[in-house]
Amino acid sequence: NAGVMQNPRHLVRRRGQEARLRCSPMKGHSHVYWYRQLPEEGLKFMVYLQKENIIDESGMPKERFSAEFPKEGPSILRIQQVVRGDSAAYFCASSPDYPTNEKLFFGSGTQLSVL
Amino acid sequence: AQSVTQLDSHVSVSEGTPVLLRCNYSSSYSPSLFWYVQHPNKGLQLLLKYTSAATLVKGINGFEAEFKKSETSFHLTKPSAHMSDAAEYFCVVSDGQAAGNKLTFGGGTRVLVKP
């Protein structure tokens, strides 16, 4: 059973471009969480999704950021018109059911660099 | 609201000597507490968790942590450091009341192990 898969591992974008980060949860997991880690800081919650539904997006910036978890395929975190401040490591986690912290598995992250 | 403070951003120890990573938390509810480790270019790995059972929690790789409610602390210790322990460590709290597994991370402690 493969772990949580994130791609790409590294993503470089110029200011104003779009960034799309993908997360494939572990097999059988229907809950996905996105966290952002700014340099020298801990991870901060962004959004929690179940299949086709956004459950909690209280950590998402109000503009330019969106997330989806379609019925088929990976979860996507989309950042439009990126700025230098978006440079960070973005981690995805998945769990098989709600709400158990004990079964939360993290991916290796996507490092976004905005030039 | 919940928060986590890791009192040391960097800790340097010699191989074979004890490791102590300090963590204080605040939470409105009875919290669940975790320690995660992040090796370079890797995802987060759960070391141990406290969920209102025994206050002394044993984890993987010889780590343990003690929950002290009166001090609102959850310090991580290991009797004898190994070179492979060099990594970043995160103390994490979840009050279990929020939708899903919304975790609050501390700022991290980077551990350096000297030979």
Side-chain angles (χ1 to χ4, degrees):
Chain A
N1 187 4
V4 178
M5 303 299 292
Q6 289 188 249
N7 64 83
R9 288 295 306 274
H10 297 90
L11 181 61
V12 179
R13 286 288 179 266
R14 296 189 181 279
R15 281 179 296 171
Q17 291 184 319
E18 178 180 285
R20 291 171 70 88
L21 289 64
R22 287 177 291 277
C23 169
S24 296
M26 289 181 70
K27 187 176 180 179
H29 287 195
S30 58
H31 302 252
V32 166
Y33 312 80
W34 285 93
Y35 287 80
R36 175 166 65 174
Q37 184 180 25
L38 294 168
E40 306 300 321
E41 295 186 17
L43 280 71
K44 288 187 167 44
F45 170 81
M46 298 182 76
V47 63
Y48 161 44
L49 310 104
Q50 294 178 22
K51 283 286 187 182
E52 300 183 276
N53 290 301
I54 296 175
I55 307 302
D56 181 350
E57 56 181 348
S58 58
M60 288 277 271
K62 293 291 185 276
E63 297 177 345
R64 302 187 297 108
F65 284 71
S66 62
E68 63 177 13
F69 188 19
K71 187 176 180 181
E72 301 291 337
S75 175
I76 305 290
L77 179 66
R78 182 182 178 208
I79 311 172
Q80 295 177 289
Q81 299 175 318
V82 296
V83 300
R84 289 225 173 100
D86 297 332
S87 295
Y90 292 82
F91 288 91
C92 169
S94 73
S95 69
D97 50 40
Y98 163 84
T100 170
N101 295 309
E102 303 179 23
K103 297 180 183 176
L104 195 62
F105 296 87
F106 281 85
S108 298
T110 293
Q111 180 66 50
L112 172 64
S113 298
V114 180
L115 304 179
Chain B
Q2 55 193 23
S3 66
V4 179
T5 302
Q6 291 183 242
L7 298 163
D8 308 290
S9 59
H10 293 82
V11 166
S12 180
V13 298
S14 296
E15 189 175 21
T17 64
V19 182
L20 169 64
L21 305 183
R22 298 181 293 167
C23 171
N24 287 97
Y25 71 92
S26 68
S27 176
S28 302
Y29 303 95
S30 296
S32 295
L33 292 156
F34 310 81
W35 276 97
Y36 281 86
V37 60
Q38 183 181 26
H39 290 275
N41 300 314
K42 295 286 181 64
L44 292 156
Q45 181 183 19
L46 180 65
L47 276 180
L48 51 79
K49 61 183 184 289
Y50 165 77
T51 53
S52 74
T55 56
L56 183 62
V57 182
K58 293 189 184 298
I60 61 171
N61 301 337
F63 284 94
E64 63 180 36
E66 186 172 9
F67 173 71
K68 291 186 177 179
K69 187 175 180 179
S70 61
E71 299 177 9
T72 60
S73 69
F74 190 56
H75 302 333
L76 181 71
T77 60
K78 182 173 180 177
S80 176
H82 191 271
M83 295 299 292
S84 61
D85 295 328
E88 188 152 23
Y89 294 78
F90 293 98
C91 182
V92 181
V93 64
S94 171
D95 65 16
Q97 301 298 314
N101 292 315
K102 188 192 289 189
L103 305 177
T104 299
F105 283 72
T109 298
R110 193 172 298 276
V111 173
L112 173 65
V113 182
K114 297 177 289 186

